[in-house]
Each structure stands twice: as structure tokens, then as C-alpha cells.
Amino acid sequence: AFALLAAACGDDDDASSAAEDDTPADADTESGLTVTAVDIGTGTVTITNNGAADADLAGHQLCNRPTYVPLPGATLAPGESIDVSLEGLSADGGEVGLYTSGNFGSSDDLISYVTWGSGGGRLSVAESGGTWSGEPIAGPGDTLTLDGEPGSAAGWTG
């Protein structure tokens, strides 16, 4: 498993636009990469390759605005997971977004998202792209686990 430590990087939004397509924003169908767990207590995010082929993490980034962390240039086999450290996670409220690039304002580049408590700064991006629908997860414990369909509080326990 890899462990990375994120540092606050500010609120810069990349204003460039991604090409439009018909791919749902809540699934990176090319890689199958999905945020599957968030351990708020330890500041650890688990990303799993739920696809049928190997998935390259190069260029992907995690966001918990205003903290961002680039993922390593590693490859995950189908079913394989990686744990990544992400600073600034709080039980009071937050988010984790998995992006295909550093274009954090783009709903096209946001492929997996979870939010809890008072919510997060990229919720509107997730909602506009269909990556998240509805309210954040209410009253989370220290660990959030995806145990259903991603994209809403109903798919998560914690």
C-alpha cells in the first residue's frame, strides 16, 4: 500500500474545460477507480479499482478543499485498493473528491465523491456532474465505507 501526505494548496481552480461526453460523472468507466472508504480518524482515504482492467493512478488527484494530493504513478489491478493520507479530514464536515486531473472546478474530471456533515467546497461541482446527489452523510463516525452505489449518502455507512 502507498501512503501520501497532502499539504494545503490553496483554492486555485483550473479554468480549463474538459471535452464533453456522455459518460456518467460518478463512474470512471475507463479505470473503475472509486473512493470506497474514508477514515476520518486517521486521515486515510481508500481508492479501489472496481473496473475489469488495470487502472493507472498517474495524473489523478484527491481533493478535500483546500487540500489536494496527487496520486502516485502506480497501477491498480482489478479489485486492488490503495490507501492515501489526506490532511484536513474532520467529522464535523468535509469531502473527498477523486479527479482525473488537477482541474478541480470541472465536473467532467470528478470521477468519485463523498461528502459528510456540513459538506464540502466541491459539492456543487459533484452535483452538477451527477457524481453526488442529495444531502451529505449525516452524523458520520470516524470511518465511512461505501457499501452500496456511490453518489449519495444512501450508499455509505459510517
Side-chain angles (χ1 to χ4, degrees):
F2 295 90
L4 301 174
L5 185 60
C9 297
D11 291 336
D12 292 339
D13 287 341
D14 184 343
S16 65
S17 61
E20 300 263 341
D21 64 27
D22 295 326
T23 304
D26 64 351
D28 183 0
T29 56
E30 290 185 27
S31 71
L33 295 173
T34 306
V35 173
T36 55
V38 179
D39 189 325
I40 297 167
T42 65
T44 304
V45 176
T46 302
I47 300 168
T48 302
N49 178 0
N50 289 322
D54 288 354
D56 187 0
L57 297 175
H60 289 71
Q61 295 200 35
L62 284 178
C63 170
N64 176 31
R65 189 175 183 178
T67 303
Y68 311 98
V69 61
L71 299 183
T75 299
L76 295 181
E80 191 175 11
S81 296
I82 184 174
D83 290 332
V84 181
S85 294
L86 184 61
E87 290 180 359
L89 299 177
S90 168
D92 294 334
E95 67 185 343
V96 173
L98 176 60
Y99 286 80
T100 59
S101 73
N103 191 2
F104 301 109
S106 170
S107 61
D108 291 334
D109 290 0
L110 179 60
I111 59 172
S112 185
Y113 184 83
V114 60
T115 183
W116 62 90
S118 60
R122 302 286 180 192
L123 180 57
S124 64
V125 175
E127 290 175 326
S128 71
T131 309
W132 189 265
S133 176
E135 298 295 316
I137 299 166
D142 276 347
T143 304
L144 303 171
T145 305
L146 181 64
D147 63 357
E149 291 296 317
S152 74
W156 292 81
T157 57

